[in-house]
Amino acid sequence: VFGGFNFIEFRPDQNLVHPLRIHPDVLIELEESLLLCDTGIQHNSGEIHQDQRQQLGRTEVQQLVQENVKLTYQMRDHLLRGRLHEFGCALDQAWELKRQFSSKISNSQLDATYELARRHGALGGKILGAGSGGFFLFYTEPFRKYELAQALEEAGLKIRSFRFDLE
C-alpha cells in the first residue's frame, strides 16, 4: 500500500510507483471539485474483469487501451501543472474509452447517471472499480458542485463525503 498520490505504471515484468508531488493548493481545489456518487447498483466485478480479458484479444480494444494509457500520462501532467479543468475534461475522454473495453462496464442506468451529471456541471467522471455499478467520481468546477449534487440526489442517488488522506 502506497499513501498519497501516485502514478503507477503496470508493466509485464514489474509495476513502477511514482509519487506525485502535487502542490497543496492544487490538492485543495481538486478535492473541492470532486463529487463521489453511489449509484446503488450492485455488480460482479469478477465477471466484468473476465470479459475485459477476453476483449483484450481484439485489436480495436488493444488500440483503445493504448489510447487510455497515453491519456493517463496527460492526466498526470495536468495534475502536476495544476490544470484541473483539463484534468476534468480528460476524465470524460477516459470514460468514453473505458466503456468501449467491454459491454459489461456500463449499462443504461450508468449512462443516464453520467449524462445527468454532465448536464449539471460535471466535466467528466470515472466509474470506480471494474464498472457496471458501484461509485462514480465526478469532476466539476467548485461553483457547480452544489448543482451537481442536488441533481444527482433528486435522481435518487447518494452523495458520499470523502477527504484525501496523504498518509
Side-chain angles (χ1 to χ4, degrees):
V1 176
F2 297 92
F5 279 79
N6 297 289
F7 185 79
I8 305 173
E9 294 180 274
F10 298 95
R11 297 189 177 170
D13 56 335
Q14 65 180 338
N15 298 327
L16 302 174
V17 180
H18 307 279
L20 298 181
R21 288 171 179 75
I22 302 171
H23 193 279
D25 291 345
V26 173
L27 286 178
I28 290 168
E29 185 178 345
L30 178 63
E31 189 174 71
E32 290 303 316
S33 301
L34 294 173
L35 193 120
L36 185 62
C37 174
D38 184 350
T39 67
I41 303 171
Q42 300 294 319
H43 62 285
N44 180 342
S45 61
E47 187 178 297
I48 299 163
H49 286 295
Q50 182 178 3
D51 186 62
Q52 282 183 13
R53 279 190 292 277
Q54 290 174 346
Q55 296 302 321
L56 273 173
R58 298 176 41 217
T59 303
E60 55 272 15
V61 173
Q62 291 172 8
Q63 291 171 340
L64 291 169
V65 169
Q66 286 305 311
E67 282 182 57
N68 197 49
V69 169
K70 287 179 191 172
L71 186 58
T72 62
Y73 285 92
Q74 293 171 16
M75 293 171 76
R76 175 202 61 192
D77 293 345
H78 291 323
L79 285 175
L80 290 172
R81 291 181 173 94
R83 296 186 310 230
L84 295 182
H85 182 90
E86 291 84 353
F87 174 79
C89 293
L91 276 176
D92 182 54
Q93 294 172 25
W95 170 243
E96 292 303 326
L97 288 170
K98 180 173 177 141
R99 54 194 301 272
Q100 295 177 66
F101 293 171
S102 163
S103 62
K104 297 184 181 296
I105 287 175
S106 193
N107 55 49
S108 60
Q109 190 175 348
L110 290 177
D111 289 342
T113 298
Y114 192 84
E115 288 308 312
L116 175 68
R118 293 276 292 147
R119 284 195 311 273
H120 289 278
L123 294 178
K126 176 178 181 8
I127 195 82
L128 302 181
S132 189
F135 289 82
F136 262 120
L137 185 66
F138 292 111
Y139 179 91
T140 186
E141 302 292 348
F143 63 89
R144 295 206 63 191
K145 190 172 182 179
Y146 177 78
E147 173 192 346
L148 176 58
Q150 187 174 18
L152 293 169
E153 286 177 332
E154 286 174 2
L157 301 162
K158 293 188 173 103
I159 303 306
R160 303 291 185 198
S161 298
F162 74 94
R163 289 278 176 225
F164 295 149
D165 184 350
L166 302 179
E167 300 296 319

